[in-house]
């Protein structure tokens, strides 16, 4: 079977920079071609309990944006051919100034920004600032979006769109059915490549989804794996790699 393209989500600095880096190495060795690295945020609106708890834990160490960008830069130096996307929320990008933030992110090795709470058509200049710095803004769409608005986004000319495959928060299992596939086709109607995720935790789900998306996205499953093995760096590496191999169809 052909290897499945995987975008794997990681919370920068969780539970420590050292273990987080070990998890990043495991994801790459397990076949992840894209790392979606989240800057911890105090009130994440789209993230389920696993990612929320991870963010809270990292922030309790007084972790700052500059620490997250330094962590990303380290991963980029180790794996220069791996695509890195930065995921966070609007206020972290807006506070230092969108252009300034994008410049810093690009300098750290980021190739795209995923900011779920900045609407695609009212993004505070994010798309423009991304392009000026060699990155892409990757807007997020969910099935709760109206048909008219979904069509407007699909036809807006974004190279990539992130499709959350159900409404609600991340972390619960998502059923891949005809409705899911139809939704992905609607998102792709303008020619954008679609990243599909939200509740993807098994190889079976990944295989069902893979033919319809540019990459399968998995996040909470890796955060939970890191949490369960956080006291043992070797176990984190082994278990995260094992799950990545499963989701890329190589297990």
């Amino acid at each position: 079977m052909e290897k499945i393209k995987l975008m794997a989500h990681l919370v920068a600095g969780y539970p420590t920079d050292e273990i987080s880096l070990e998890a990043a190495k495991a994801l790459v060795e397990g076949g992840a071609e894209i790392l979606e690295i989240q800057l911890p945020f105090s009130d994440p609106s789209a993230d389920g309990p696993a990612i929320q708890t991870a963010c809270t834990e990292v922030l309790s160490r007084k972790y700052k944006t500059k620490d997250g960008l330094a962590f990303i830069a380290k991963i980029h130096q180790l794996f220069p051919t791996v695509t890195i996307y930065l995921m966070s929320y609007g206020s972290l990008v807006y506070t230092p100034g969108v252009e300034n933030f994008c410049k810093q992110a690009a300098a750290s090795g980021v190739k795209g920004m995923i900011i779920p709470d900045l609407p695609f058509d009212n993004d505070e200049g994010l798309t423009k600032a991304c392009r000026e710095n060699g990155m892409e803004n990757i807007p997020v769409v969910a099935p709760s979006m109206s048909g008219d608005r979904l069509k407007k986004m699909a036809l807006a000319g974004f190279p990539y769109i992130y499709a959350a495959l159900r409404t609600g928060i991340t972390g619960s299992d998502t059923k891949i059915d005809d409705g899911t596939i139809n939704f992905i086709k609607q998102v792709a109607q303008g020619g954008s490549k679609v990243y599909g995720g939200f509740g993807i935790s098994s190889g079976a789900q990944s295989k069902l989804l893979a033919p319809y998306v540019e990459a399968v996205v998995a996040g909470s499953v890796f955060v939970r794996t890191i949490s369960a093995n956080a006291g043992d760096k070797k176990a984190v590496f082994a278990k995260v790699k094992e799950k990545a191999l499963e989701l890329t169809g190589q297990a």
Side-chain angles (χ1 to χ4, degrees), residues 178-217:
D178 289 346
T180 312
I181 291 156
N182 185 46
F183 172 61
I184 292 166
K185 286 178 177 172
Q186 285 180 282
V187 177
Q189 65 184 292
S192 303
K193 292 179 177 177
V194 179
Y195 297 127
F198 247 53
I200 303 300
S201 59
S202 72
Q205 287 172 304
S206 195
K207 281 172 190 149
L208 281 172
L209 184 58
Y212 305 99
V213 294
E214 170 68 10
V216 171
V217 186

Side-chain angles (χ1 to χ4, degrees), residues 91-127:
S91 66
L92 278 189
V93 178
Y94 187 76
T95 303
V98 174
E99 287 178 29
N100 180 33
F101 186 94
C102 286
K103 200 173 285 185
Q104 290 179 51
S108 303
V110 173
K111 290 293 178 206
M113 304 276 280
I114 300 167
I115 313 294
D117 60 343
L118 277 184
F120 74 96
D121 51 356
N122 191 17
D123 67 4
E124 304 292 348
L126 180 63
T127 299

Side-chain angles (χ1 to χ4, degrees), residues 3-7 31 33-34 195 210 214-217 247-248:
K3 180 174 170 283
I4 294 166
K5 191 170 182 179
L6 174 67
M7 183 199 295
E33 292 177 46
I34 305 166
Y195 297 127
E214 170 68 10
V216 171
V217 186
L247 291 171
T248 54

Side-chain angles (χ1 to χ4, degrees), residues 68-78 84 107-109:
L69 291 175
F71 176 75
I72 288 170
K74 193 178 283 187
I75 292 173
H76 179 59
Q77 284 162 7
L78 282 172
I84 297 175
S108 303

